[in-house]
Amino acid sequence: MEDNRPKKSRKRHHCSPDTPAKRRQTDPPQASQSRYPSYIPPNERLRCLGLFLQQRCSKLNPSTIWPIRWLRNIDTHLLVAGYQSRNFLSPGSVVFLYMLCRDLISPEIDSMEELQASLLTCYYITYCYIGIELGYPPKPFLMGGSNTAFWERCVSYTQIMSSKMMKINNNRQFYREVLAELKAMGR
């Protein structure tokens, strides 16, 4: 026996963004927005990272310009080589890089080569962790030294920082704390 009754349509009722209740859920109150660190452009974040490295490695007295040049040269090389379609040095990647540098670059570094090797290893890990490609060529991140030393640093740094790398990715409050700390370097 065939059922000739009209079938009820199963319409999904979606919340409209114009619904006041929905708007209240998605728009945080103005008072809570003031708790977040204000926006810092990538260039300012890089300057703050350079200041951090200058203070951290005071035995070397590095210029704040050199570390930024090292990073920008690699970013430009990978852009021109087609490994990325836009600059990697975004606000989020600089915060992530700062977190690695803060915990991994020793104040006892006694040569610019050692500083550059450590910084570029942190940068490579940043690329591999939050970059859009599955893999990046290590060559731009290597200095005249050994490939073995580079890979040993990568493995060691990743083991040391794996929990914080996950935390900054999953915990907004931790990200904001690292961002505020980076911002404070520029004062």
Side-chain angles (χ1 to χ4, degrees):
M1 211 168 167
E2 198 172 307
D3 187 10
N4 291 333
R5 287 182 285 167
K7 293 185 179 181
K8 292 183 182 178
S9 69
R10 297 181 111 187
K11 285 187 180 179
R12 288 185 164 187
H13 298 285
H14 296 285
C15 294
S16 165
D18 297 328
T19 307
K22 183 70 174 175
R23 235 182 292 131
R24 268 186 257 120
Q25 289 175 348
T26 58
D27 295 340
Q30 293 296 333
S32 68
Q33 288 178 352
S34 63
R35 292 183 295 194
Y36 304 124
S38 59
Y39 174 76
I40 310 170
N43 288 342
E44 181 63 19
R45 290 180 193 205
L46 281 172
R47 187 183 73 78
C48 292
L49 178 63
L51 290 170
F52 163 76
L53 292 170
Q54 187 177 39
Q55 290 174 10
R56 173 62 56 97
C57 303
S58 58
K59 287 169 52 173
L60 297 177
N61 194 19
S63 166
T64 58
I65 296 170
W66 284 110
I68 293 169
R69 279 191 186 156
W70 299 333
L71 300 174
R72 286 185 189 268
N73 285 344
I74 291 172
D75 198 39
T76 301
H77 173 78
L78 292 174
L79 188 63
V80 169
Y83 283 95
Q84 56 195 25
S85 57
R86 60 185 166 178
N87 289 334
F88 179 74
L89 290 169
S90 66
S93 65
V94 175
V95 172
F96 188 91
L97 177 61
Y98 166 73
M99 178 193 69
L100 295 178
C101 292
R102 175 192 71 183
D103 291 0
L104 297 170
I105 294 182
S106 169
E108 303 305 316
I109 286 180
D110 56 3
S111 73
M112 288 296 278
E113 291 78 23
E114 192 178 351
L115 170 61
Q116 186 177 16
S118 192
L119 175 62
L120 297 186
T121 303
C122 290
Y123 196 36
Y124 183 76
I125 292 169
T126 301
Y127 258 98
C128 290
Y129 191 78
I130 61 175
I132 59 171
E133 294 296 323
L134 294 176
Y136 290 91
K139 189 173 182 176
F141 300 88
L142 293 173
M143 298 181 34
S146 151
N147 286 351
T148 305
F150 172 77
W151 290 116
E152 287 174 355
R153 273 192 315 275
C154 282
V155 170
S156 173
Y157 287 6
T158 302
Q159 288 175 339
I160 292 167
M161 295 300 293
S162 64
S163 64
K164 287 187 179 178
M165 289 162 53
M166 292 294 288
K167 187 175 182 180
I168 200 167
N169 194 36
N170 295 325
N171 185 327
R172 287 183 182 177
Q173 183 58 37
F174 182 64
Y175 176 87
R176 287 184 202 117
E177 289 167 7
V178 175
L179 174 59
E181 191 178 309
L182 175 61
K183 182 181 175 188
M185 296 306 300
R187 292 184 190 148

